[in-house]
Amino acid sequence: MAKLLEVDHLSKVFSLGNILSRVRITAVDNVSFDIKPAEIFALAGESGCGKTTAARIVLGFEEATSGTIIHNGKKGSKNKKVWFTEGIQAIFQDPFATFNPLRTVDNYFFETLYNYKLARNRQAAIETINQKLKEVGLSYEEFAGRYPNEFSGGQLQRISIARALLTDPTLLIADEPVSMVDASLRMSIVNLFKKLRERLGVSVLYITHDLATAYYVSDRIGIMFRGNLVEMGPVEKVLMEPKHPYTKLLRESIPEADPTKRWKEAVTLAELEHEEYLRIGCKFAGRCPLVMDICKQEIPPEIYVDDVLVKCYKYAGY
Ligand SMILES: Nc1ncnc2c1ncn2[C@@H]1O[C@H](COP(=O)(O)OP(=O)(O)OP(=O)(O)O)[C@@H](O)[C@H]1O
Ligand SMILES: [Mg+2]
């Protein structure tokens, strides 16, 4: 099947600190993946593994250090951002940060439709808005003239999805779209992505640290660790028969919907993080129960095992 998005050998290096003490972090490290039309692809991994950075590059918000992105057969570059990102829309983690608290939400919808010349007059605009709101289970009547704080987090996230649909995108990039939504409502919102894929044929790049929702919603999944894609394949295989030692560990330590736990993990990881970025071989070598000498010396090869890509020496006959 033709590819909608092709991310090829993408890398992003951030330089931190001052001239005297430079720290270079390869936030995205030679990552390649693709997304097919009407496919839901998840990128998962713990905090700081580079998910958002990869998404921001695809969205044209951030420039890659190296690598290419092809969307709809068109190659992205610095000055050709506009048509390259055409058809791509983003949905962010915090819906309350997406909307200005002093503006009514319908304002944003009219503005988008007029700016993109998608509606000739107010009546046509209302029709389009209503149609998009219906896709997410809302209606114009319950939405018109209201301010962001008059909605729950779940409702507002539905509204931001409807807004993303206004331009009839072919790819939605949803970065942790449910992590700030009430746990009881998460599945219903994740379900929306499935429904939209079926109804509108839209593809979704679903970014999350939550393997349970990733398993439920996505067709394929890529597991990231310290900027590297360590395992990628059909979600059923990757999560039910994980091959990479890191995927196995991640699966066992699913940070279930408990934000306090997530913070604790992030804090302890921070100490390890710097050391892991500097590793010359496999970034996971320091924590891997199956570590071998070669893992500390050279970057592991990417190997296909039964439709699944695994970046690990264990599968290279060592
Ligand atoms: N603008 C920036 N300048 C410097 N370093 C950055 C910048 N943005 C991200 N980083 C670093 O790059 C690494 C990857 O960050 P990123 O936000 O992509 O991770 P993430 O997987 O989205 O994490 P989370 O699950 O917490 O959202 C981190 O070490 C982060 O500190
Ligand atoms: Mg992120």
Side-chain angles (χ1 to χ4, degrees):
M1 205 199 289
K3 291 163 184 169
L4 178 71
L5 182 82
E6 278 180 79
V7 173
D8 199 18
H9 297 289
L10 188 72
S11 291
K12 176 70 186 181
V13 178
F14 286 116
S15 283
L16 310 167
N18 55 37
I19 327 169
L20 296 175
S21 62
R22 271 255 175 270
V23 177
R24 282 158 57 89
I25 280 183
T26 308
V28 177
D29 195 351
N30 198 13
V31 162
S32 303
F33 63 88
D34 56 55
I35 302 180
K36 293 166 193 71
E39 183 178 48
I40 303 183
F41 179 76
L43 264 187
E46 68 199 7
S47 190
C49 68
K51 307 181 293 292
T52 296
T53 304
R56 286 176 56 81
I57 296 170
V58 175
L59 282 163
F61 295 167
E62 196 99 58
E63 237 179 274
T65 306
S66 60
T68 53
I69 295 172
I70 299 174
H71 173 234
N72 262 336
K74 296 169 193 163
K75 195 162 153 185
S77 76
K78 209 166 155 186
N79 29 16
K80 289 177 179 163
K81 227 175 251 173
V82 176
W83 52 246
F84 160 65
T85 55
E86 199 179 78
I88 306 182
Q89 285 289 341
I91 292 140
F92 300 102
Q93 182 173 24
D94 182 0
F96 288 98
T98 306
F99 299 99
N100 178 336
L102 303 176
R103 280 179 74 187
T104 58
V105 286
D106 51 2
N107 229 295
Y108 286 88
F109 282 65
F110 286 110
E111 187 180 84
T112 302
L113 289 176
Y114 294 148
N115 282 351
Y116 284 82
K117 300 196 172 27
L118 294 170
R120 274 167 289 115
N121 53 46
R122 192 172 165 84
Q123 194 48 43
I126 291 175
E127 269 170 39
T128 305
I129 294 169
N130 206 12
Q131 184 204 340
K132 304 304 181 190
L133 286 170
K134 276 197 181 131
E135 294 288 356
V136 302
L138 296 167
S139 71
Y140 186 74
E141 291 74 48
E142 52 184 329
F143 148 100
R146 292 170 70 184
Y147 290 89
N149 68 359
E150 295 181 60
F151 297 99
S152 70
Q155 277 175 322
L156 207 56
Q157 197 58 301
R158 281 172 189 271
I159 290 170
S160 57
I161 295 169
R163 183 189 175 205
L165 295 177
L166 286 175
T167 53
D168 293 324
T170 48
L171 175 64
L172 294 177
I173 297 189
D175 191 349
E176 304 274 14
V178 295
S179 62
M180 294 186 73
V181 169
D182 222 53
S184 61
L185 296 173
R186 273 183 204 154
M187 274 305 177
S188 70
I189 290 182
V190 166
N191 217 359
L192 259 183
F193 292 115
K194 271 184 141 173
K195 199 184 114 194
L196 294 174
R197 176 265 290 281
E198 269 144 43
R199 283 185 46 79
L200 311 172
V202 68
S203 301
V204 183
L205 172 57
Y206 176 58
I207 293 175
T208 186
H209 63 273
D210 173 30
L211 297 185
T213 54
Y215 178 71
Y216 178 72
V217 74
S218 48
D219 304 305
R220 285 188 305 129
I221 188 168
I223 305 290
M224 285 185 78
F225 179 75
R226 297 278 169 260
N228 287 260
L229 207 48
V230 295
E231 183 161 358
M232 176 168 63
V235 73
E236 185 74 35
K237 283 192 181 161
V238 172
L239 295 183
M240 285 308 169
E241 307 154 35
K243 294 187 172 59
H244 197 284
Y246 175 66
T247 314
K248 290 182 187 171
L249 179 84
L250 192 67
R251 229 192 68 120
E252 283 155 21
S253 60
I254 284 185
E256 62 300 331
D258 178 0
T260 54
K261 186 173 171 206
R262 200 178 162 223
W263 278 115
K264 252 189 276 154
E265 277 181 7
V267 172
T268 48
L269 280 175
E271 299 152 17
L272 259 176
E273 194 174 324
H274 187 211
E275 188 198 321
E276 285 176 342
Y277 274 117
L278 294 177
R279 282 186 185 281
I280 47 174
C282 175
K283 308 274 184 222
F284 189 56
R287 285 198 251 169
C288 183
L290 305 173
V291 67
M292 297 177 278
D293 284 342
I294 181 90
C295 308
K296 299 177 191 162
Q297 290 149 12
E298 279 174 58
I299 297 171
E302 294 181 347
I303 296 159
Y304 275 93
V305 185
D306 179 28
D307 276 357
V308 175
L309 179 144
V310 200
K311 200 171 178 176
C312 177
Y313 276 111
K314 189 185 160 199
Y315 298 89
Y318 279 84

